Amino acid sequence: MYLSQYIEYTLLKPTTTEREIIDLCYEAIEHNYHVICINSSFVPLAAQFLKDSNTKVCSVIGFPFGAMSTQAKVFEAKKAIEDGAQEIEMVINLGFLRSKNYVSVFKDISDVKSAIGDTTLKVVLEISELNKNEIVKACEICVDANVDYIKTSSGFSKGGATLTATKIIKKTIKDAVKIDACGDIVDLETGMKYLEAGVHRIGFDAILSKKTKKAKTISYKTTA
C-alpha cells in the first residue's frame, strides 16, 4: 500500500482561484491521492477534471464554523453531490456541543447523513476547541449518527491534529467509525505515526505542501 492512498489533499482558503483548483487536481492525479477536499463552489470544476481518475472529490459544507442552520447544510450537501462530490465534510456545531445540547448536535449531523444517503460523511470535531470529555461525547454522538469518518480539525482553528486526541478518539469509537487526522502533518514520518495510531485518512494542505516542498514524500511506499 502506498501512503498516497491515505491522503486527503486540501485547498480551502477563501481566495482560492479556479487555476489553483485545476492545479490541485493535476497534482492529485500525478501522485494518486485518494481524495481532494474543496469548497462546494468548485465541485463542478474539480469533478470535470477528475472524472477519469482514481481521485475522489470531497466537498465541505457549512464551512468553516459549522454554526449555520441544519437546513442550509442539507441543501449545500445535496447540491454538492448533484455537482459531482463523492464525499461530504461538515464541522460539528461547537456551540451546541459546548452548551451540552446534545440532541441538537445529533440532529444536525443525522439530518445531513439522512439527506446524502450512502455518500461518505465526515464530521470535523475541531479538537483544539474541546476538552477530553467533549471530544469523547462528540465521538459518541458521531457513532450514534452513523457517520463514516471523524476528522480532527478543519484547518481554520487554533490547532490541528494531535496524537493524544487521536488516541482518545480511537479509544472511544474503536472500529465503529474511521478517523481522518488533519493539521500539522507535513511529512512522511509524521504521517506514519498517525497511521500507527489507527487513522484511516491523513489531511494534507496543498498550500503548506508548496511551502515545505514535501508533498512528494507522501507517495513513497509503506507497509501500513
Side-chain angles (χ1 to χ4, degrees), residues 11-89:
L11 185 56
L12 294 169
K13 66 174 184 172
T15 56
T16 297
T17 65
E18 292 180 341
R19 179 70 257 175
E20 287 174 318
I21 291 294
I22 293 171
D23 290 343
L24 185 83
C25 291
Y26 282 138
E27 288 180 43
I29 292 171
E30 178 186 358
H31 297 295
N32 197 30
Y33 296 152
H34 184 76
V35 62
I36 63 167
C37 188
I38 56 176
N39 287 298
S40 59
S41 60
F42 289 118
V43 167
L45 178 63
Q48 176 185 347
F49 274 87
L50 295 175
K51 64 181 179 180
D52 296 321
S53 75
N54 295 321
T55 302
K56 297 180 180 180
V57 177
C58 174
S59 174
V60 298
I61 58 139
F63 245 63
F65 304 120
M68 54 292 300
S69 70
T70 300
Q71 293 87 345
K73 293 175 184 176
V74 166
F75 179 86
E76 188 177 11
K78 292 170 73 173
K79 183 64 169 67
I81 293 170
E82 180 184 320
D83 288 341
Q86 296 146 296
E87 297 185 1
I88 296 296
E89 178 176 313

Side-chain angles (χ1 to χ4, degrees), residues 22 29 31-32 38 43 72 99 101-102 129 132 157 161 180 194-195 205 214-215 221:
I22 293 171
I29 292 171
H31 297 295
N32 197 30
I38 56 176
V43 167
S99 300
N101 186 354
Y102 303 134
E129 302 291 343
K132 179 181 178 180
S157 191
D180 185 344
Y194 279 92
L195 289 176
D205 190 279
K214 292 180 179 178
K221 194 170 185 179

Side-chain angles (χ1 to χ4, degrees), residues 208-221:
L208 187 59
S209 76
K210 288 179 172 59
K211 290 179 179 179
T212 60
K213 307 293 185 183
K214 292 180 179 178
K216 292 185 178 180
T217 63
I218 53 180
S219 62
Y220 290 169
K221 194 170 185 179

